[in-house]
Structures are given as structure tokens and as C-alpha cells.
Amino acid sequence: MRRFLLPFLATVIFYSESIFATFSPVEMFGDTRFLVPRFLFVFLIFLSIYYQRNAGYIYGFVFGFLYDVFFTGVIGVYMFLFPALIYAARFILRYINQNIVVTGLIGLLLITALEFLVYQFNLLIGIAGINFQTFLNQRLYSTLLFNALFILIAALPLKYWMTALRKSQFDD
Amino acid sequence: MPSFFMNKRLIVLLVSIILLVALIGFSTRERENISWPEQFVKDIVGFGQNIASKPTGFAEGMVENVQDLLNTYTENKKLKARLEELALLETQVADLTRDNEELRAMNNIDSNIREMESVNATVIARNPDQWQESIIIDKGQVNGIETDMAVRTSGGMIGRVKDTSQFTSTVELLSARNENNRVSALIQSGENNIYGLVEGFDLERDELMVRKIPFDQEVEVGSNVITSGLGGVFPRGLLIGEVTEVTPDEYGLTQTAYVKPAASLYDIEHVMVIERMAAGEDEIEQEATEEEEE
């Protein structure tokens, strides 16, 4: 039963993103602002830090693939970026001490990197047509704020739950 | 060079970059529809999405219902005022329709680019990263949906079907940035019909752009824009929007009209997928080649 819990939660978070995306964009401070939910990505970072490194890569690859096929139709972008950025998270944590606040900040930093890389890629293949300033104003700030809220709410439960899961697996 | 090949990380990185480029090239090229493995994955993910989106749809509906109730009184007043006009308009429309049918029968015209059939569908997801302006609906090939069909809400046209799998379809909205996303449009300006192409979306104004309008045509602000049906893909008469501003293009040879979409392109819940009944370009070509073979 317990082994299905993790895939199930990942699936629920995967679907919740598209549901939260229906609330976007919003009119805030005189501009149209997009709120891009990156809950799955936050989940993956916590997974790789508090549960298992390899699980992070595998989940990142599989759900990145599903994301690409189902939502964007351009296969390869998220499939590659999710594991690559999880690797970056592990890399950063080699040099600084890990605690919950640091993990949250790394999450935000990597969401910025993810947004920027996806933006650059879409610019390259011609899907995006906005300049950098518009990207910052319309997307990045609001997205960071939105996901920071998610991290604030979910960080502690995710951490405790994943550490408990790892412990229980360690005992078996 | 043995150390180079021993470096596992580097090999993994190189192989994955090659794979990445190949996959991106494969999936972004021009194609009629997505391949069957993609369709299969889409169907499976779509099944779960369908279940996940039902409760939220229900909750949203509840909130909307309450809002509707609060607005009822003012809305009722306005509607009563328009009701009498409506009855008059209805009889006129019925009369004109019959007249039109009789005239068509007299002249032996049996195909009409206004003719269409529609399938109702519900939106189950919106692309969360919101770069590709696309939504996913819960009807697919088994419901008779094909690529390039027009999609509308009760407000007006919103886009076209980009790809289909067995049980889901992806709809590309009019606001998507795609060179091939052109709709042949007709502007009902005063007495004249003016033709143009819906090409592109102005993100700052949140308005569509109708380009290639001849410079000597006078377009009135506030006139309605509908699909012309001359592209051979969509039927005629789907409402697109209303002209808000007309400007000459950069060379002064043609004009560009800014059009405010009639339907909201963000808040979409229920859609209709429209099939054109009159023969399009493809069918006519097909028939021509068949006749040649005979």
C-alpha cells in the first residue's frame, strides 16, 4: 500500500497544476499576469533531497515526459529540464548546509531557472514572442510569488512525510 | 582518450542532448496529427485528467451559480427590454431563412459554406506553463473530431483543433503564436463585406489582428468580424469579434484591424467543435484526382 503512495501523490500534484492554471492569468497592478504553477517541480526537488536522489531523477523524467506529451506537445523540454535541474539542486547542496529554508530558497531559484530556460527555448522555436522585460513583468514575478506561497504551505508537510517514508523503508 | 569514455556523466549528458534535439525536431515538425504512441499516452493521461477536472468543474459551477443569483434582478430588467426586439428579429430570421432556401432550391445550389455540424465538449485542462495557448477537451476521434476543425464557445470562435487522440483533443486558441494559424475573415462594415486574414495576437492589447485588408476599403470601428469560409477549412459565419481600431500597416499598402475577440480566450469551460459540411479544398482536390483516374 505504502509503495503506491508516492506515485499517487505525484499524479495528484501533476493534475492539480492544470487545474490551478485555469485561474490564470489574473489582472494585478495594472497588468495581465500569468501564474504558472510549478508544484510538481517543487515536489520533485523535495523528493530528491528528503527521500532518494534517484527517485527524483526517475520521477522527473517520467512526469516531464507526460507533461511534454499531454500539455505542450513539444517532447523533450521538461523531460530533460526536470532531471537536469534536480541535478543542479543536488550540486548546490554539496556546498551549503541543507535545512528547510535553504531547500525552499533553492526551489525558488530553480523555478526561476526553469522559467527562464523554457522562455529561451520557446523564443528559439518561435512559440514565445515577448521581450525579456515583458517576460519578467508578466510571468516571472507573479509565478515566483505564486509558487513561494505553495512552498510556504507545503514545505513542512512534504519534508516530514518524505523523511518518514524514507525511514520506514530503511527499517524494512 | 580512455578517461573521456569513462566519464559516465559526460556520456549521459551527450546522449541525452542528442536525444533531446531529435525528439524536439520530431515533435515540432509540420504534421497532420500526432503519432500513435503520443495518442496512447494522451489518452491515458486524459482519462485521469477527466476524473480530476470533474470535481473542480462542479465547484466552479457552484460559485458561478451564486454569482448569477446575485445578478438576477438587474439582468432581468435589461433582458425584458430586449425581449420585444427579439421576437421581431426571430420572425424576420425565419422568413429570410425560408426565402434563402427557396431561392437556393430554384437555382439548384446544394452546397452551402454556412452549413455545419457541431459536437459539444468540455474543457478538461489548460496547458499549465501557458506558453502554447492551448486547451484540452474531452472529445476525440471516437466522437468524430478531426484536426483543423473550428472550435467555438457560445460567445464566438476561439480556435481550431490542433491534434486529436482517441478520447481527447488539443485546441489551439486564436491567440497562439503560430505562422500557420490563419483564419480567413470577413468584416461586416456598413454595406460592404471586407475580406482579410486573422493573423496574430497583440499580447499587450489582448486583441486579434486582421491583416491584409485592401488600403482603399473603409473599415468602420465597431463592425463585426466573422469567418468567411473561403479558406476551405472553417464554415462561414462564426463570430470572431468586433473591430476596435484600424491602422495602416508598416508599408502603407494594406490595413490592419484590431479585433476584440467575442469569446473570452481565458475563461473557457464548454466548447463546440464545428465541422464544415461543404466540400473544402482537400475534398475538391481528392474528387478531381479520382475523376482523372477514371
Side-chain angles (χ1 to χ4, degrees), chain A residues 15 18 24 34 75-76 78 139, chain B residues 20 27 45 49 129-131:
Chain A
Y15 284 133
S18 69
S24 164
F34 291 85
I75 305 168
Y78 287 98
R139 286 179 170 267
Chain B
L20 174 78
S27 53
V45 180
Q49 182 73 61
D129 81 354
Q130 296 156 53
W131 283 109

Side-chain angles (χ1 to χ4, degrees), chain B residues 23-65:
Chain B
L23 276 173
I24 289 171
F26 167 76
S27 53
T28 50
R29 73 179 203 281
E30 283 288 302
R31 48 183 179 168
E32 193 96 317
N33 199 358
I34 49 178
S35 62
W36 72 262
E38 284 168 86
Q39 289 189 19
F40 183 68
V41 173
K42 271 200 147 176
D43 278 333
I44 290 180
V45 180
F47 178 73
Q49 182 73 61
N50 221 337
I51 296 169
S53 70
K54 285 279 148 29
T56 37
F58 180 71
E60 270 173 31
M62 289 283 276
V63 174
E64 251 167 52
N65 282 347

Side-chain angles (χ1 to χ4, degrees), chain B residues 224-279:
Chain B
N224 283 328
V225 182
I226 60 173
T227 55
S228 74
L230 299 181
V233 183
F234 305 132
R236 189 190 183 98
L238 296 176
L239 183 64
I240 296 174
E242 194 186 284
V243 177
T244 57
E245 196 192 332
V246 186
T247 54
D249 77 342
E250 56 230 83
Y251 305 113
L253 298 172
T254 57
Q255 304 178 83
T256 300
Y258 287 94
V259 174
K260 191 177 164 47
S264 163
L265 294 176
Y266 293 120
D267 189 17
I268 307 164
E269 209 177 329
H270 297 286
V271 298
M272 278 168 266
V273 184
I274 308 286
E275 186 183 6
R276 176 187 158 112
M277 300 311 286

Side-chain angles (χ1 to χ4, degrees), chain B residues 134-168:
Chain B
S134 58
I135 52 173
I136 295 158
I137 56 173
D138 67 344
K139 294 282 159 68
Q141 282 165 21
V142 288
N143 307 94
I145 290 173
E146 288 162 25
T147 49
D148 278 337
M149 281 183 179
V151 181
R152 57 167 291 189
T153 61
S154 52
M157 178 163 172
I158 55 162
R160 70 181 177 93
V161 176
K162 189 171 131 212
D163 52 55
T164 61
S165 63
Q166 292 300 316
F167 304 106
T168 63

Side-chain angles (χ1 to χ4, degrees), chain B:
Chain B
M1 292 271 286
S3 66
F4 177 81
F5 288 104
M6 293 298 279
N7 194 339
K8 215 174 95 188
R9 254 182 239 155
L10 201 64
I11 299 286
V12 168
L13 189 71
L14 282 179
V15 169
S16 53
I17 284 178
I18 292 169
L19 203 73
L20 174 78
V21 172
L23 276 173
I24 289 171
F26 167 76
S27 53
T28 50
R29 73 179 203 281
E30 283 288 302
R31 48 183 179 168
E32 193 96 317
N33 199 358
I34 49 178
S35 62
W36 72 262
E38 284 168 86
Q39 289 189 19
F40 183 68
V41 173
K42 271 200 147 176
D43 278 333
I44 290 180
V45 180
F47 178 73
Q49 182 73 61
N50 221 337
I51 296 169
S53 70
K54 285 279 148 29
T56 37
F58 180 71
E60 270 173 31
M62 289 283 276
V63 174
E64 251 167 52
N65 282 347
V66 173
Q67 280 172 347
D68 282 350
L69 268 180
L70 294 174
N71 292 335
T72 313
Y73 180 70
T74 44
E75 218 172 52
N76 202 7
K77 255 188 186 170
K78 274 188 207 160
L79 286 176
K80 258 186 193 157
R82 300 199 54 180
L83 204 62
E84 284 168 27
E85 274 175 61
L86 190 74
L88 194 69
L89 206 65
E90 217 168 58
T91 49
Q92 265 177 6
V93 168
D95 188 40
L96 284 173
T97 315
R98 200 171 304 135
D99 195 35
N100 193 326
E101 269 168 22
E102 276 167 20
L103 287 172
R104 273 176 185 282
M106 270 162 68
N107 287 313
N108 289 327
I109 302 172
D110 55 354
S111 105
N112 187 345
I113 52 174
R114 285 172 189 80
E115 240 178 295
M116 51 180 117
E117 259 179 24
S118 67
V119 180
N120 289 323
T122 308
V123 176
I124 54 172
R126 196 185 172 98
N127 180 1
D129 81 354
Q130 296 156 53
W131 283 109
Q132 284 90 350
E133 291 290 342
S134 58
I135 52 173
I136 295 158
I137 56 173
D138 67 344
K139 294 282 159 68
Q141 282 165 21
V142 288
N143 307 94
I145 290 173
E146 288 162 25
T147 49
D148 278 337
M149 281 183 179
V151 181
R152 57 167 291 189
T153 61
S154 52
M157 178 163 172
I158 55 162
R160 70 181 177 93
V161 176
K162 189 171 131 212
D163 52 55
T164 61
S165 63
Q166 292 300 316
F167 304 106
T168 63
S169 314
T170 307
V171 177
E172 189 174 58
L173 300 181
L174 286 174
S175 50
R177 235 180 95 89
N178 181 351
E179 301 284 304
N180 301 321
N181 200 351
R182 290 199 194 95
V183 183
S184 172
L186 187 160
I187 304 174
Q188 296 173 321
S189 175
E191 301 273 292
N192 302 327
N193 280 343
I194 300 166
Y195 293 92
L197 286 174
V198 178
E199 269 183 350
F201 186 76
D202 192 317
L203 268 173
E204 258 136 51
R205 305 174 55 132
D206 268 345
E207 284 175 347
L208 294 162
M209 289 181 281
V210 178
R211 293 179 196 270
K212 310 241 164 73
I213 304 168
F215 73 96
D216 54 346
Q217 301 273 15
E218 211 170 292
V219 181
E220 277 171 33
V221 170
S223 35
N224 283 328
V225 182
I226 60 173
T227 55
S228 74
L230 299 181
V233 183
F234 305 132
R236 189 190 183 98
L238 296 176
L239 183 64
I240 296 174
E242 194 186 284
V243 177
T244 57
E245 196 192 332
V246 186
T247 54
D249 77 342
E250 56 230 83
Y251 305 113
L253 298 172
T254 57
Q255 304 178 83
T256 300
Y258 287 94
V259 174
K260 191 177 164 47
S264 163
L265 294 176
Y266 293 120
D267 189 17
I268 307 164
E269 209 177 329
H270 297 286
V271 298
M272 278 168 266
V273 184
I274 308 286
E275 186 183 6
R276 176 187 158 112
M277 300 311 286
E281 196 186 359
D282 294 343
E283 284 94 345
I284 291 168
E285 263 174 31
Q286 216 173 3
E287 272 171 34
T289 47
E290 272 167 22
E291 271 169 30
E292 268 173 34
E293 277 164 15
E294 284 166 17

